[in-house]
Amino acid sequence: MFGTSGIRGTVGDEVTADLALAVGRAVASEGYDSVVLGRDVRESGTMLVDAVAAGLRECGTDVIEVGIEATPTVARSIAHLDADAGIVVTASHNPETDNGLKLWTPSGKAFGPEQRNAIERRIREDDYELGAWDELGTRRRYEDAAAFHADAIADAVDIEGSPTVIVDVGNGTGGITAAVLDDLGCTVETLNGQPDGSFPARPSEPNADTLETLATVVEHTDADLGIGHDGDADRMMAVDETGTFVPKDALLAVFAREAAGEGDRVAAPVDTSLAVDDALTAVGASLTRTQVGDVYVAERATEADVSFGGEPSGAWIWPAETLCPDGPLAACKLVAFVASRGPLSELAGEIEQYPIRRTSIEVTDKTAVMNAVRERVTASYDEVDTLDGVRVETDDGWFLIRASGTEPLVRITAEARAAAAAERVFDEASSLVEDES
């Protein structure tokens, strides 16, 4: 039900008011007495918020509604409001047809496997602790969640001078980034700042293709960099001062290198580039790999010597601030780096770029395919990691084979320090999947 990052699917098909009601009931029945509830800009969110709230209240839980806010704003509000949990109605970077629900703990970490399994069991078994007429939870509104989030970011970031920043909000909830940067003395312009859950300006996910307008604007102005968010602003990607999209692994390496000191570790998923390992080795730090999904990165980031966690998809976590991927915080930190260290093109240019190949193969039964691949790989290779799928270290590089969390696909990633070696490793991994599919 939860995939790698919450419940998501097509509205009216996988995601319905019935499902939202059930999630609310299940969360309340698990003993969470007060829950912060917010949503992104999708119109279907109004229906789903009402259904979640009804399920929570029906089982005796008090609801603190914060309205339309960025996911990290909602996640940060949980501890601030002394609540037991948080629920965000969002499909994050998914297309406008989708919506979903993501559940959060007071630390800012998403619900982990045990908590998710407990919710799933109650929904599957229709096992709820419904309250009597005089035991219903309350529902109230809290209006200052964004202000609290903005103050927390401003306290954590100091920006030198007055850099010029273009912020592509993507019609989502990331306007807080522009507001905080303005308060910190930056010259800020926004793109696609009108909230609109149909995402008319561009697809919600920020990547090299969808941020082309941002890149063009930055290239033809005197802007120091551009920032791009997804629909709920948990993700953040960047464009340098030349209008060039910063590769995802390079941005991860920039953040990791800045955050890590001698002996520190950085948490990142199993599909992270060798470039991040190399950047950390240069400063005496190291990479610790996790399963794919921000909840797993956040869990590793609770360990004392982990100073930062990130996913190449654009989720960035500073555990000293919050365990929630915080796009606005990441944006402000990046602007601060640029203001104090120099142009983003130079910061990113210091990171080695290695050839990496990715593909997805459609399969009928991804579980059966992965079981067969895992058996073959563990019998044939010495350096095998089965933390999330199958990751193999070879003399040439590495490859990862893992099942998609939401689709009937097996995903393949391969990387090496030379193009010919990357092709060999990629072909090797692809043949393993093709033979079993």
Side-chain angles (χ1 to χ4, degrees):
M1 178 179 290
F2 283 88
T4 55
S5 191
I7 299 170
R8 292 182 195 163
T10 305
V11 173
D13 188 1
E14 296 101 337
V15 176
T16 64
D18 282 345
L19 174 63
L21 178 70
V23 169
R25 287 172 166 175
V27 168
S29 298
E30 281 296 302
Y32 299 95
D33 293 331
S34 61
V35 171
V36 175
L37 177 61
R39 71 175 181 93
D40 69 18
V41 297
R42 299 163 201 261
E43 184 59 31
S44 57
T46 58
M47 163 192 72
L48 296 172
V49 160
D50 286 343
V52 173
L56 290 165
R57 295 185 62 208
E58 190 176 26
C59 297
T61 291
D62 295 330
V63 177
I64 308 169
E65 190 174 350
V66 298
I68 299 175
E69 297 289 358
T71 286
T73 300
V74 183
R76 281 180 178 259
S77 297
I78 302 166
H80 175 60
L81 294 170
D82 198 27
D84 298 315
I87 299 176
V88 185
V89 174
T90 180
S92 192
H93 58 279
N94 278 32
E96 65 276 8
T97 54
D98 292 1
N99 214 326
L101 301 102
K102 192 162 183 176
L103 281 54
W104 299 91
T105 68
S107 70
K109 184 172 72 68
F111 270 31
E114 289 187 9
Q115 292 166 302
R116 297 196 305 257
N117 289 341
I119 300 302
E120 286 191 28
R121 183 200 66 78
R122 286 192 178 273
I123 294 173
R124 183 174 60 251
E125 299 177 7
D126 200 27
D127 179 18
Y128 308 119
E129 303 291 333
L130 302 179
W133 68 271
D134 57 350
E135 297 174 344
L136 304 181
T138 61
R139 182 175 182 176
R140 67 182 176 90
R141 184 72 179 233
Y142 178 69
E143 302 289 352
D144 296 327
F148 170 74
H149 187 191
D151 287 345
I153 295 173
D155 288 343
V157 177
D158 182 25
I159 297 176
E160 298 177 4
S162 181
T164 298
V165 188
I166 312 295
V167 180
D168 184 348
V169 182
N171 300 119
T173 57
I176 186 174
T177 296
V180 176
L181 287 172
D182 182 68
D183 287 343
L184 290 172
C186 299
T187 301
V188 184
E189 295 184 17
T190 60
L191 295 176
N192 310 316
Q194 179 65 36
D196 188 333
S198 65
F199 305 117
R202 63 167 173 84
S204 180
E205 184 172 5
N207 56 39
D209 294 331
T210 61
L211 296 180
E212 285 183 349
T213 299
L214 174 63
T216 300
V217 172
V218 173
E219 179 185 6
H220 292 93
T221 64
D222 61 352
D224 293 287
L225 73 161
I227 298 295
H229 287 304
D230 63 342
D232 69 331
D234 64 341
R235 292 187 173 189
M236 189 283 302
M237 299 306 298
V239 169
D240 71 22
E241 78 283 359
T242 72
T244 301
F245 179 81
V246 179
K248 296 178 178 182
D249 287 294
L251 187 56
L252 172 53
V254 167
F255 279 136
R257 186 178 59 183
E258 293 288 338
E262 179 81 29
D264 284 350
R265 291 187 300 155
V266 166
V270 290
D271 58 351
T272 299
S273 170
L274 294 168
V276 182
D277 292 87
D278 291 352
L280 289 172
T281 298
V283 297
S286 62
L287 184 67
T288 176
R289 285 183 165 82
T290 72
Q291 291 176 255
V292 174
D294 63 78
V295 64
Y296 302 108
V297 175
E299 182 63 40
R300 190 68 56 83
T302 62
E303 298 176 11
D305 61 343
V306 176
S307 58
F308 175 74
E311 290 194 294
S313 60
W316 318 114
I317 297 171
W318 283 265
E321 301 296 327
T322 177
L323 292 174
C324 174
D326 191 332
L329 173 65
C332 294
K333 280 186 173 287
L334 185 62
V335 173
F337 295 161
V338 170
S340 63
R341 306 295 175 85
L344 182 54
S345 62
E346 294 182 8
L347 294 174
E350 294 169 0
I351 308 301
E352 291 284 351
Q353 291 292 294
Y354 300 126
I356 190 165
R357 292 285 310 276
R358 290 185 172 94
T359 193
S360 297
I361 297 177
E362 189 169 351
V363 297
T364 302
D365 186 340
K366 61 187 177 185
T367 300
V369 170
M370 283 305 305
N371 287 340
V373 167
R374 188 176 295 106
E375 185 175 344
R376 285 185 60 186
V377 166
T378 52
S380 304
Y381 298 89
D382 294 327
E383 303 262 349
V384 180
D385 185 342
T386 58
L387 176 65
D388 189 355
V390 180
R391 190 180 192 276
V392 175
E393 298 277 353
T394 73
D395 292 338
D396 291 328
W398 62 273
F399 67 79
L400 172 70
I401 303 172
R402 61 181 294 273
S404 166
T406 57
E407 299 174 274
L409 303 172
V410 171
R411 304 194 189 280
I412 300 170
T413 307
E415 184 186 36
R417 289 185 170 85
E423 287 296 328
R424 283 196 303 273
V425 175
F426 178 77
D427 290 343
E428 195 174 335
S430 298
S431 65
L432 287 167
V433 178
E434 290 165 353
D435 290 348
E436 302 297 340
S437 59

